[in-house]
Amino acid sequence: MTRLMIAGGAAAVAALLSSCTTMSKDQCLAGAWGEKGYADGASGYPMTRLDDHAKACAKYQVAPNPAAYGSAREDGLRTYCTFERGWAEGRAGNTYYGVCRPEEEQAFLPAYQDGRRLHEVEDAFEAAQGALRSAEARIDNREDKLEAKQNELRGEGLTDEQRDRIRDRIQEVRGEIRDARRNARDARDSLDQAEWDVRRVRRELSGRYPV
């Protein structure tokens, strides 16, 4: 099931990658397909990456060399499909395209999954920090607006209608402050939970990885 989920995500990312130009004109004309294949293998790209290169080079009337590319890519994959690289790729939140052989996945995949676990809880922690900062900034902003409106209400020469509008706005701003404070409380709770999750995952992984 896990491999299916990774493969599904990989297909979506591969579709996105195919929409980008993967090789420049100079690279296409140089025709260093072995060099490109090794680099792609070392980066964990699937063989379908060659199709993207072929599309990029077609506009320059350059066709790829699949044999040279594929052979070099296999060499590159040997540097990718390792325990250490699995951890690093997962830790960085990179996509795994299911490119490693079954015997290599025995080391690569568990490390990748553990790295992704830590990456995801740390992402959640950072998101909670951002949400709290945003809520606190909104509180400060609305409190400044409230003070400005209260000062405006104390001004001279206002009509009753103008004072009523200012009072209505004061009530609106007070409501916005209450909402922002509620958001800040929720964000603090989420931050506490996320911090606990990060500590828990790091503790679980500390004996196997450099966390």
Side-chain angles (χ1 to χ4, degrees), residues 38-59:
Y38 184 89
D40 285 352
S43 297
Y45 283 114
M47 189 64 186
T48 53
R49 183 72 165 171
L50 182 59
D51 296 335
D52 301 331
H53 298 328
K55 292 174 184 176
C57 292
K59 65 183 72 174

Side-chain angles (χ1 to χ4, degrees), residues 98 105 122 152 179:
E105 277 196 341
E122 288 180 338
E152 185 180 350
D179 290 343

Side-chain angles (χ1 to χ4, degrees), residues 123-211:
D123 261 9
F125 178 77
E126 292 178 5
Q129 283 183 317
L132 179 56
R133 285 194 296 267
S134 178
E136 290 175 338
R138 184 172 175 80
I139 291 170
D140 291 341
N141 176 271
R142 292 305 185 265
E143 286 180 341
D144 288 344
K145 286 185 180 296
L146 178 60
E147 183 179 0
K149 285 297 178 183
Q150 288 172 332
N151 289 336
E152 185 180 350
L153 187 60
R154 289 191 287 268
E156 298 180 358
L158 296 173
T159 65
D160 290 342
E161 182 180 354
Q162 287 173 325
R163 291 185 185 278
D164 286 342
R165 284 202 299 269
I166 295 171
R167 290 190 184 97
D168 288 343
R169 181 55 183 152
I170 286 173
Q171 291 305 311
E172 289 176 359
V173 173
R174 284 174 173 161
E176 291 168 358
I177 291 173
R178 287 194 296 271
D179 290 343
R181 287 175 175 165
R182 183 168 55 251
N183 291 341
R185 288 193 298 271
D186 291 343
R188 288 190 190 97
D189 290 342
S190 295
L191 183 59
D192 288 343
Q193 179 63 51
E195 185 176 12
W196 186 88
D197 287 340
V198 169
R199 289 177 177 175
R200 173 182 55 81
V201 173
R202 283 180 175 171
R203 186 170 57 250
E204 292 173 0
L205 300 179
S206 61
R208 288 171 280 171
Y209 309 100
V211 297

Side-chain angles (χ1 to χ4, degrees), residues 7-149:
V13 176
L16 177 62
L17 288 170
S18 66
S19 65
C20 304
T21 298
T22 60
M23 292 180 64
S24 68
K25 178 179 181 179
D26 289 344
Q27 289 174 321
C28 292
L29 295 178
W33 294 104
E35 180 181 331
K36 193 66 175 176
Y38 184 89
D40 285 352
S43 297
Y45 283 114
M47 189 64 186
T48 53
R49 183 72 165 171
L50 182 59
D51 296 335
D52 301 331
H53 298 328
K55 292 174 184 176
C57 292
K59 65 183 72 174
Y60 310 115
Q61 290 78 50
V62 175
N65 183 332
Y69 177 90
S71 176
R73 176 179 166 276
E74 288 298 320
D75 291 339
L77 283 174
R78 281 192 281 274
T79 72
Y80 176 84
C81 298
T82 65
F83 175 87
E84 294 79 10
R85 188 63 179 274
W87 166 253
E89 291 291 304
R91 189 77 178 76
N94 294 334
T95 298
Y96 172 52
Y97 296 98
V99 294
C100 299
R101 292 187 290 266
E103 61 273 20
E104 296 168 333
E105 277 196 341
Q106 292 179 10
F108 178 94
L109 195 53
Y112 173 82
Q113 291 167 338
D114 286 339
R116 284 292 300 217
R117 283 178 61 205
L118 183 54
H119 173 80
E120 288 166 4
V121 295
E122 288 180 338
D123 261 9
F125 178 77
E126 292 178 5
Q129 283 183 317
L132 179 56
R133 285 194 296 267
S134 178
E136 290 175 338
R138 184 172 175 80
I139 291 170
D140 291 341
N141 176 271
R142 292 305 185 265
E143 286 180 341
D144 288 344
K145 286 185 180 296
L146 178 60
E147 183 179 0
K149 285 297 178 183

